[in-house]
Short mmCIF file of all heavy atoms in Angstrom, two decimals:
data_model
loop_
_atom_site.label_atom_id
_atom_site.label_comp_id
_atom_site.label_asym_id
_atom_site.label_seq_id
_atom_site.Cartn_x
_atom_site.Cartn_y
_atom_site.Cartn_z
N SER A 255 -1.86 23.27 -7.92
CA SER A 255 -2.94 23.16 -8.90
C SER A 255 -2.52 22.16 -9.95
O SER A 255 -1.31 21.76 -10.00
CB SER A 255 -2.99 24.52 -9.63
OG SER A 255 -1.87 24.76 -10.40
N PRO A 256 -3.42 21.63 -10.77
CA PRO A 256 -3.12 20.66 -11.77
C PRO A 256 -1.99 21.18 -12.71
O PRO A 256 -1.14 20.42 -13.07
CB PRO A 256 -4.41 20.45 -12.46
CG PRO A 256 -5.42 20.70 -11.53
CD PRO A 256 -4.92 21.82 -10.65
N GLU A 257 -2.01 22.39 -13.02
CA GLU A 257 -0.94 23.01 -13.91
C GLU A 257 0.40 23.04 -13.24
O GLU A 257 1.43 22.64 -13.84
CB GLU A 257 -1.36 24.44 -14.22
CG GLU A 257 -2.63 24.58 -15.02
CD GLU A 257 -3.85 24.63 -14.26
OE1 GLU A 257 -3.83 24.72 -12.98
OE2 GLU A 257 -4.94 24.41 -14.80
N VAL A 258 0.45 23.40 -11.97
CA VAL A 258 1.77 23.31 -11.28
C VAL A 258 2.16 21.90 -11.04
O VAL A 258 3.37 21.66 -11.25
CB VAL A 258 1.64 24.11 -9.87
CG1 VAL A 258 2.87 23.91 -9.03
CG2 VAL A 258 1.35 25.62 -10.13
N LEU A 259 1.31 20.99 -10.85
CA LEU A 259 1.72 19.64 -10.63
C LEU A 259 2.36 19.06 -11.94
O LEU A 259 3.34 18.39 -11.94
CB LEU A 259 0.50 18.76 -10.33
CG LEU A 259 0.88 17.26 -9.94
CD1 LEU A 259 1.65 17.22 -8.67
CD2 LEU A 259 -0.42 16.47 -9.69
N THR A 260 1.79 19.50 -13.12
CA THR A 260 2.46 19.19 -14.38
C THR A 260 3.76 19.76 -14.52
O THR A 260 4.74 19.02 -14.87
CB THR A 260 1.53 19.69 -15.55
OG1 THR A 260 0.28 19.11 -15.53
CG2 THR A 260 2.14 19.42 -16.95
N ASP A 261 3.95 21.03 -14.12
CA ASP A 261 5.30 21.66 -14.12
C ASP A 261 6.28 20.93 -13.18
O ASP A 261 7.42 20.67 -13.61
CB ASP A 261 5.23 23.12 -13.68
CG ASP A 261 4.49 23.98 -14.68
OD1 ASP A 261 4.23 23.45 -15.87
OD2 ASP A 261 4.06 25.07 -14.33
N ILE A 262 5.79 20.52 -12.11
CA ILE A 262 6.66 19.78 -11.10
C ILE A 262 7.11 18.44 -11.74
O ILE A 262 8.30 18.08 -11.64
CB ILE A 262 6.03 19.60 -9.75
CG1 ILE A 262 5.80 20.97 -9.05
CG2 ILE A 262 6.81 18.67 -8.89
CD1 ILE A 262 4.90 20.95 -7.84
N ALA A 263 6.16 17.70 -12.30
CA ALA A 263 6.49 16.44 -12.80
C ALA A 263 7.54 16.58 -13.88
O ALA A 263 8.48 15.81 -14.11
CB ALA A 263 5.18 15.78 -13.41
N GLN A 264 7.30 17.64 -14.84
CA GLN A 264 8.34 17.87 -15.86
C GLN A 264 9.74 18.23 -15.31
O GLN A 264 10.72 17.63 -15.80
CB GLN A 264 7.81 18.93 -16.79
CG GLN A 264 6.59 18.50 -17.61
CD GLN A 264 6.06 19.67 -18.47
OE1 GLN A 264 6.37 20.84 -18.30
NE2 GLN A 264 5.11 19.34 -19.35
N ALA A 265 9.72 19.01 -14.29
CA ALA A 265 10.94 19.44 -13.71
C ALA A 265 11.71 18.22 -13.06
O ALA A 265 12.88 18.16 -13.04
CB ALA A 265 10.74 20.53 -12.68
N LEU A 266 10.92 17.32 -12.49
CA LEU A 266 11.45 16.12 -11.85
C LEU A 266 11.65 14.96 -12.81
O LEU A 266 12.05 13.94 -12.38
CB LEU A 266 10.57 15.73 -10.60
CG LEU A 266 10.49 16.66 -9.47
CD1 LEU A 266 9.51 16.21 -8.44
CD2 LEU A 266 11.95 16.87 -8.79
N GLU A 267 11.25 15.07 -14.08
CA GLU A 267 11.44 14.21 -15.10
C GLU A 267 10.71 12.88 -14.79
O GLU A 267 11.27 11.82 -14.95
CB GLU A 267 12.90 13.93 -15.42
CG GLU A 267 13.60 15.25 -15.83
CD GLU A 267 15.07 15.08 -15.94
OE1 GLU A 267 15.68 14.08 -15.44
OE2 GLU A 267 15.74 15.95 -16.54
N VAL A 268 9.48 13.04 -14.35
CA VAL A 268 8.57 11.86 -14.06
C VAL A 268 7.26 12.06 -14.80
O VAL A 268 6.90 13.23 -15.15
CB VAL A 268 8.37 11.59 -12.63
CG1 VAL A 268 9.69 11.20 -11.85
CG2 VAL A 268 7.66 12.69 -11.95
N ASP A 269 6.60 11.05 -14.94
CA ASP A 269 5.24 11.06 -15.52
C ASP A 269 4.34 11.72 -14.51
O ASP A 269 4.52 11.47 -13.28
CB ASP A 269 4.73 9.60 -15.84
CG ASP A 269 3.37 9.60 -16.45
OD1 ASP A 269 3.22 10.13 -17.59
OD2 ASP A 269 2.46 9.20 -15.74
#
Side-chain angles (χ1 to χ4, degrees):
S255 67
E257 297 81 17
V258 172
L259 189 64
T260 298
D261 293 342
I262 292 168
Q264 289 173 351
L266 294 173
E267 300 172 346
V268 296
D269 182 69

